[in-house]
Amino acid sequence: MKVVAKMSAGVTGNACKGAPRAILQSASLALSLRRRLRFSIVALGCVFLSVLCAAPRAGAQEAQQLWGKIVHRVELRTDSALRVSNFTSQIIQKTGTPLDAAQVDQSLKNLYATGRFITLSAGAIEDQGGMILVFTGKARFFVGRVSARETSKALPVSALLSSARLALGAPLALPDLETATQNMQSLLKSSSYYQSRIRYAVARNPSDQVADITFTVDPGPPAKLSAVEFSGKTNFPAARLQSVAGWKRGTVLDPAKVQHGLYEIRRFYSKRGYLEVVANEDRAVYDAKTGTVRLLVKINSGPVVRVHVEGAKMSASQITKTLPVLFVEGLTDDLSLDAGAKDLGSYFERKGYFSAQAKWRRIVHPGETDITYAVDLGKRSAFESFDFKGNHSISSDDLTPLVTIQTEKFLTHPHGIFNQQMLNQDVGTLTSYYHSKGFLQAHITPHQYMAEGEMAVTFIIDEGPMTRVHELAFQGVDATAIQQFRPSLQALPGRPYSPQIINHDRDSILTYFGDHGFNEATVALRVSNLANHQVNVNYDIHPGARQKVERVVVLGNQHTRTGVINRQITLKPGDPLSQAQVYESQRKLYDLGLFSSVQILPLDPAGIETDKTVLVNVQEADRWTLGYGFGLDVQRLGGNQPAGQLSASPRLSLSATRIDVGGRDQTFSFRGRVSDLETGAETSYLFSHFLNKPSLSLHFDLLGYQTRDVLTFTSRLEQASLTLEKQLSPSTFLLGRYNYRRVSLYDVHLAPEEVPLVSQPVQDAGFESTWIHDTRDDPADATRGSYSLLDGSISTTHLGSASNFVRFLGQNATYHRFSQHLIFARNTQFGVETSYGPGQQVSAPGTLFTNQIPLAERFFAGGGDSLRSFSLDQAGPRDPATGYPIGGNALFVNSLELRMPFHGGRYGVVVFNDAGNVYSSLSEMRLLKFVQSSPADLNYDVDAMGIGFRYKTPIGPVRLDLSYGLNIPRYQIVPQTGPVEVLRLPAFQYFISIGQSF
């Protein structure tokens, strides 16, 4: 076997003069096209030559005789893992057929057009009377994972990588890396890092043709500010302006600080009447010797502009707020002053002066400009109502939500919200809505009526005829595809026609083809108008080539196991490259909570290949999250005294969370809290996607808390639980749990005989099931939706419990927004528990048998998140010997709230009513009993009215609730010695917390 011929790319026609002319004419090719046309061929040649183009003419004649010999095998030799099997459709010179110059030429063209090669050549090897055709080339690599390492922290890594502008899957070339380096250096310079040095390393993966790029960034020392030089008409000393901007010598300026300083300078001038001031950064001059930078700023203060309003009372701050075109944009030309007049008119129209008008006059003095707006308010009125006439096809209920003008309402807008600009916008919105429903000739005219200080608006609607689709036709696709996407279309024969509808339908068609791998599909529309307000709609569809997934390559996972990622990717080899599946895979990967960024793109998106390698590039989130906090615990501790005792303690909290444990979607978390009132810690381990089920998770929790009642005793809670959670729908969850807990008391400051039997150290163990349905728009501050909970549990001595009992708790809360400023919220809770089976032995003074439910497992109520008639856990039965609350076996709580947010929801007022109690048992529950018959009777409904105030913060509304009990209970203490004492709980309660009460 010997080499007899070679075909190489880039060889010109006269490169080897010894070759026969006939061979050159049949096998030589040199083309140059731009790659952006997808068939880019930089230098492609196919010249069938004698060995090394240096053989005598006799050798060339021998090579010429090789045409027509049978090709035994075709090989591909590159610096990557590409194989001939990857290009069966591109290589048209097949084995078992005679070697043909035209077929070799075309095969080279096809291979190069795939974009997978930088250089490419073809050669032939004699093989037992036949030929082995060998394609040899240098593979093109594509951008894979791009990362950056900073020797010292200067800028966020994400900002540096974003400035590099290296797109995932794009062809990689050396100029691209140099440009990326320059972009990052420019970004560093803008942040005062002028001596940065950036190196890059490229790690090529031959199996995937992907190159991982790592930039090593040494930002160098930042340049410190040496001076600020102001030029232009400044009117103020440079030192004063530099102080206003906050640019101190020796500090490091970044773009944010520069822009903030310029903003402060403009605001400084604006407050002093220089509304037309222009302040811009000229440039920054770097001194390499000293490593400092001088900032050059150009200022043109302009004249002093004084703005006055005549004919109406307005504060200076309100004038500034109402005329942003002057005070924010700094514009005082005629058009801007006209816009200011309209803004003033709209402002007073909102105040009930619906005929208000404003005219301006301007007087220019040397260095000063006086602008005066003369306002004619007219009579004040109230916008009482609006209605619709002529709307036969669309109901008023459908049109009302489109209108922004609002009628008068007590407290929120007593004169209504109305002005001509809003009215014109509403007319435009209503007209567009009618057009979108097929009424292309609809016309709406607003009529305003004024009588006795009240105004009303009627929208007179001339609907006109409805335009309908007569015929619908499709070209370029088969009947099977039409049958699949047709049900998603709205503009069907006999239905309304409008440009909005058919544009929606065109998007639906493109979405269908994109979801089936036709990512280059195009849809052209042609609409023909017919008589009787009918149209014919024709879609000319060109699906293009169908793209399929050849394989999926995962990049960037340093800790997360590839199998965890692959299980979330719905794109599989051989499937169509569906955009819907790309988005679904991206969503599922984000849902893991392990990644801060997920990119899914095909390799060489602009390439002509239909079988695509899909790159999944993930950026892992920080695996550790640490949190800490300081605060103050303030709580009114209950006891046997009505008012209890107000106690306070410093509080320290600490939390730590570790995700991606073992490279899997598992999470370990720890939370601890230390104060004089409560100290404890909780650890949990979460198995997300348990058993590889996306809707299934497993929790293991350990809890230990010590709570001090500074008056009487200290309690300790130790608990372990195992929970299996099933997500039935996006808003519905089902939980199954096994609990084991132990509650014990020590440091008891009461005589043993005074401690209630039910408060002795106990154990509880059993199974619990919980169903949750949550459709609230915001759990911390809900305005719409509902929340429902059903919880049932059974505790048994066979599992380690001290007693046998069953428990049920149900809750339902609903939220209704009646208007922007009025929300009605309701929360109802009902619970019952009962013991069963024989009594258990309990260690008390002596040996007793009881089947009482342990104290820790009883129902308690009272506090800012429960019955605001009582302080924390003070509702219900009390121990007759000590007067302390001991909880009950039944619970009913009903809370009603009228929430009135204002000032954009930043503030709010709440009026509430809480009713209910904790009862000894279900049989003793008296929901309609509102009067206490005796101090020993605590089984009745306790009501409280109150008012609350809210202030919105990023972590939820800060809440102050003031409550007054209407029928607060009395209770009695029966000591072993001494008289019986009757006490009454306080009627007034206050609560300070974060978040709504429910």
Side-chain angles (χ1 to χ4, degrees):
M1 186 181 298
K2 62 179 180 179
V3 178
V4 297
K6 180 179 181 181
M7 296 154 279
S8 62
V11 179
T12 59
N14 59 359
C16 197
K17 297 181 181 179
R21 181 179 300 273
I23 296 176
L24 292 175
Q25 290 176 349
S26 64
S28 160
L29 177 64
L31 298 174
S32 177
L33 298 174
R34 294 183 178 180
R35 176 160 178 75
R36 70 185 62 179
L37 298 178
R38 299 185 179 178
F39 288 94
S40 67
I41 304 177
V42 178
L44 179 63
C46 181
V47 183
F48 205 0
L49 306 173
S50 60
V51 177
L52 301 179
C53 296
R57 183 173 298 275
Q61 292 174 350
E62 180 183 354
Q64 187 177 13
Q65 295 174 358
L66 296 178
W67 293 116
K69 286 193 173 184
I70 300 300
V71 177
H72 290 175
R73 189 167 69 253
V74 179
E75 296 181 358
L76 178 61
R77 300 175 182 177
T78 69
D79 55 348
S80 69
L82 293 173
R83 297 291 181 264
V84 171
S85 58
N86 300 125
F87 305 99
T88 54
S89 60
Q90 284 81 14
I91 300 176
I92 62 175
Q93 177 67 72
K94 306 297 183 182
T95 58
T97 62
L99 184 65
D100 182 79
Q103 292 184 4
V104 173
D105 286 347
Q106 189 60 46
S107 298
L108 274 172
K109 289 181 183 180
N110 295 343
L111 287 172
Y112 200 88
T114 62
R116 294 295 191 100
F117 304 95
I118 298 176
T119 62
L120 191 63
S121 63
I125 301 175
E126 188 177 20
D127 179 37
Q128 298 179 356
M131 302 295 296
I132 299 176
L133 179 60
V134 180
F135 294 99
T136 305
K138 183 177 181 182
R140 186 184 301 278
F141 283 79
F142 300 85
V143 176
R145 179 173 179 264
V146 182
S147 59
R149 295 195 297 263
E150 288 186 90
T151 57
S152 62
K153 194 68 174 178
L155 293 176
V157 171
S158 58
L160 288 170
L161 296 181
S162 178
S163 68
R165 299 177 185 174
L166 292 172
L168 178 67
L172 179 64
L174 182 60
D176 298 332
L177 298 177
E178 298 296 336
T179 301
T181 301
Q182 294 172 7
N183 292 339
M184 286 191 285
Q185 287 178 329
S186 297
L187 180 63
L188 288 165
K189 284 181 180 179
S190 68
S191 298
S192 297
Y193 291 90
Y194 291 87
Q195 301 181 22
S196 63
R197 294 186 299 274
I198 300 178
R199 304 186 307 276
Y200 58 81
V202 180
R204 293 176 171 83
N205 186 353
S207 62
D208 301 323
Q209 265 187 282
V210 171
D212 292 337
I213 306 160
T214 302
F215 292 94
T216 302
V217 181
D218 179 8
K224 296 183 179 180
L225 182 66
S226 62
V228 181
E229 297 180 5
F230 296 92
S231 61
K233 184 180 179 182
T234 61
N235 295 336
F236 294 95
R240 178 76 182 278
L241 297 177
Q242 186 172 344
S243 175
V244 168
W247 297 326
K248 297 180 180 180
R249 292 186 59 185
T251 59
V252 178
L253 292 183
D254 57 26
K257 291 181 180 178
V258 172
Q259 293 303 317
H260 178 72
L262 292 173
Y263 168 78
E264 292 295 334
I265 289 175
R266 297 187 192 103
R267 197 165 69 131
F268 171 80
Y269 276 94
S270 180
K271 286 183 177 180
R272 284 152 183 80
Y274 295 94
L275 302 185
E276 299 179 0
V277 64
V278 177
N280 293 311
E281 177 189 4
D282 190 3
R283 64 185 186 279
V285 180
Y286 175 66
D287 187 345
K289 293 181 179 180
T290 61
T292 59
V293 64
R294 288 184 298 118
L295 183 64
L296 307 183
V297 179
K298 182 177 290 186
I299 294 178
N300 182 8
S301 65
V304 174
V305 180
R306 296 186 175 90
V307 181
H308 310 278
V309 174
E310 296 178 349
K313 292 183 179 180
M314 291 184 72
S315 65
S317 61
Q318 191 60 56
I319 293 175
T320 302
K321 183 179 179 180
T322 308
L323 299 173
V325 68
L326 275 73
F327 291 94
V328 177
E329 301 176 24
L331 302 175
T332 59
D333 58 277
D334 291 358
L335 291 177
S336 300
L337 295 181
D338 288 340
K342 292 181 180 179
D343 291 338
L344 281 173
S346 297
Y347 169 78
F348 287 110
E349 285 176 334
R350 284 177 171 267
K351 298 294 183 181
Y353 299 97
F354 299 128
S355 60
Q357 293 183 347
K359 296 182 179 180
W360 60 268
R361 63 178 183 271
R362 178 176 50 206
I363 301 176
V364 179
H365 305 284
E368 294 183 358
T369 301
D370 286 333
I371 298 174
T372 302
Y373 283 97
V375 179
D376 181 9
L377 292 176
K379 292 184 178 181
R380 195 170 195 175
S381 306
F383 179 45
E384 184 180 5
S385 66
F386 65 86
D387 61 354
F388 307 93
K389 288 186 178 180
N391 54 317
H392 306 294
S393 302
I394 301 177
S395 68
S396 298
D397 291 339
D398 292 333
L399 297 177
T400 298
L402 305 176
V403 177
T404 59
I405 55 177
Q406 299 183 36
T407 58
E408 58 178 344
K409 290 187 178 179
F410 180 66
L411 293 180
T412 57
H413 36 272
H415 299 283
I417 299 178
F418 176 90
N419 60 49
Q420 289 298 324
Q421 182 179 1
M422 295 175 64
L423 181 62
N424 294 336
Q425 291 176 350
D426 289 343
V427 170
T429 301
L430 293 170
T431 303
S432 298
Y433 184 75
Y434 262 94
H435 289 175
S436 69
K437 297 299 183 181
F439 297 93
L440 304 183
Q441 300 179 17
H443 182 73
I444 299 176
T445 304
H447 285 188
Q448 297 176 229
Y449 306 92
M450 184 76 69
E452 297 181 357
E454 294 182 347
M455 188 184 72
V457 171
T458 298
F459 293 97
I460 306 299
I461 301 174
D462 180 10
E463 293 182 339
M466 176 183 285
T467 303
R468 298 181 182 273
V469 176
H470 180 250
E471 291 183 356
L472 184 63
F474 304 93
Q475 296 178 353
V477 290
D478 55 27
T480 302
I482 296 173
Q483 185 178 5
Q484 291 179 351
F485 66 71
R486 184 185 174 99
S488 65
L489 304 184
Q490 297 179 7
L492 297 174
R495 293 188 180 179
Y497 160 83
S498 74
Q500 295 93 325
I501 294 175
I502 61 171
N503 285 335
H504 171 272
D505 288 353
R506 179 174 57 185
D507 292 340
S508 297
I509 295 173
L510 288 173
T511 299
Y512 165 81
F513 283 102
D515 291 344
H516 288 77
F518 298 94
N519 296 301
E520 297 181 359
T522 61
V523 178
L525 277 169
R526 187 170 65 254
V527 179
S528 303
N529 292 316
L530 304 176
N532 299 323
H533 308 288
Q534 293 184 327
V535 297
N536 288 340
V537 179
N538 183 280
Y539 292 95
D540 189 7
I541 304 172
H542 296 276
R546 188 177 194 179
Q547 297 177 346
K548 293 184 178 181
V549 178
E550 182 181 18
R551 56 178 173 166
V552 177
V553 177
V554 177
L555 307 171
N557 54 319
Q558 297 179 336
H559 305 287
T560 311
R561 300 192 180 200
T562 303
V564 173
I565 298 174
N566 284 333
R567 282 194 291 271
Q568 311 307 315
I569 300 173
T570 58
L571 293 164
K572 304 300 179 184
D575 291 348
L577 183 53
S578 165
Q579 291 302 311
Q581 296 305 316
V582 168
Y583 298 143
E584 177 65 13
S585 301
Q586 197 170 27
R587 182 193 64 80
K588 294 179 69 175
L589 286 171
Y590 273 120
D591 286 347
L592 290 177
L594 305 179
F595 308 111
S596 59
S597 174
V598 177
Q599 290 179 291
I600 303 180
L601 288 170
L603 188 77
D604 192 18
I608 64 172
E609 288 184 287
T610 57
D611 292 340
K612 294 288 187 179
T613 297
V614 177
L615 304 180
V616 180
N617 185 31
V618 298
Q619 182 177 343
E620 293 175 333
D622 293 335
R623 293 188 295 165
W624 280 102
T625 302
L626 300 177
Y628 60 90
F630 301 92
L632 186 69
D633 276 335
V634 179
Q635 183 171 303
R636 184 179 299 277
L637 297 173
N640 59 355
Q641 297 302 314
Q645 178 172 318
L646 188 66
S647 299
S649 167
R651 182 188 69 235
L652 170 65
S653 60
L654 177 68
S655 65
T657 303
R658 169 70 153 80
I659 63 173
D660 211 356
V661 180
R664 298 182 174 91
D665 49 338
Q666 299 174 9
T667 303
F668 169 81
S669 61
F670 168 84
R671 291 177 294 277
R673 177 172 177 164
V674 178
S675 76
D676 289 341
L677 299 178
E678 186 178 42
T679 299
E682 178 182 358
T683 62
S684 64
Y685 199 96
L686 170 63
F687 297 85
S688 301
H689 297 80
F690 186 59
L691 301 178
N692 297 328
K693 303 293 184 181
S695 60
L696 205 62
S697 61
L698 184 68
H699 308 252
F700 179 70
D701 300 277
L702 292 175
L703 171 68
Y705 269 92
Q706 179 175 287
T707 304
R708 295 179 178 89
D709 183 331
V710 296
L711 300 176
T712 54
F713 59 84
T714 298
S715 66
R716 174 179 292 171
L717 169 65
E718 298 163 335
Q719 176 177 306
S721 63
L722 185 66
T723 305
L724 185 64
E725 179 180 330
K726 170 72 173 179
Q727 184 173 1
L728 304 177
S729 71
S731 59
T732 308
F733 301 85
L734 182 63
L735 292 80
R737 179 185 300 111
Y738 171 75
N739 282 324
Y740 178 86
R741 69 173 65 91
R742 176 178 174 82
V743 182
S744 56
L745 304 181
Y746 61 95
D747 292 339
V748 179
H749 300 293
L750 297 174
E753 61 273 12
E754 292 181 340
V755 179
L757 178 65
V758 291
S759 66
Q760 299 296 320
V762 294
Q763 296 177 165
D764 175 47
F767 289 105
E768 182 178 0
S769 180
T770 305
W771 177 83
I772 299 173
H773 182 69
D774 189 356
T775 61
R776 294 174 294 180
D777 55 351
D778 181 3
D781 189 9
T783 62
R784 292 184 178 89
S786 65
Y787 175 82
S788 299
L789 177 144
L790 296 176
D791 181 90
S793 64
I794 180 170
S795 297
T796 173
T797 56
H798 298 292
L799 297 175
S801 179
S803 61
N804 300 308
F805 64 94
V806 293
R807 174 189 176 105
F808 170 79
L809 177 66
Q811 179 182 357
N812 177 257
T814 56
Y815 306 86
H816 303 276
R817 179 184 283 276
F818 294 119
S819 68
Q820 182 181 358
H821 302 285
L822 186 61
I823 300 166
F824 175 70
R826 178 198 55 82
N827 181 45
T828 304
Q829 293 181 359
F830 171 79
V832 62
E833 58 187 352
T834 183
S835 59
Y836 67 93
Q840 303 296 315
Q841 181 175 327
V842 176
S843 297
T847 300
L848 299 176
F849 289 85
T850 179
N851 61 355
Q852 287 184 320
I853 298 173
L855 178 67
E857 304 306 321
R858 291 191 166 199
F859 290 113
F860 287 85
D865 298 328
S866 180
L867 273 173
R868 283 164 286 191
S869 317
F870 303 91
S871 58
L872 183 64
D873 292 343
Q874 296 298 294
R878 291 176 173 264
D879 178 52
T882 64
Y884 282 91
I886 58 174
N889 295 340
L891 166 74
F892 179 80
V893 175
N894 188 72
S895 297
L896 307 175
E897 288 192 353
L898 279 177
R899 302 174 181 176
M900 293 169 282
F902 56 92
H903 200 5
R906 187 175 182 181
Y907 304 97
V909 176
V910 173
V911 178
F912 63 86
N913 168 255
D914 288 352
N917 208 341
V918 174
Y919 304 88
S920 301
S921 64
L922 181 62
S923 61
E924 297 292 334
M925 181 182 290
R926 300 291 185 267
L927 298 182
L928 299 179
K929 180 181 178 182
F930 301 99
V931 178
Q932 185 179 20
S933 57
S934 71
D937 175 23
L938 298 172
N939 293 305
Y940 72 101
D941 192 303
V942 179
D943 281 344
M945 301 293 294
I947 186 170
F949 304 93
R950 308 290 186 262
Y951 175 72
K952 190 173 184 178
T953 69
I955 59 174
V958 174
R959 171 163 55 101
L960 169 63
D961 284 339
L962 306 175
S963 170
Y964 183 79
L966 303 178
N967 53 349
I968 292 299
R970 297 169 295 156
Y971 65 96
Q972 62 184 14
I973 299 177
V974 186
Q976 291 184 350
T977 60
V980 175
E981 188 177 3
V982 177
L983 304 175
R984 182 185 292 274
L985 292 172
F988 177 76
Q989 302 285 350
Y990 67 91
F991 306 93
I992 301 175
S993 184
I994 294 179
Q996 297 285 5
S997 56
F998 59 87

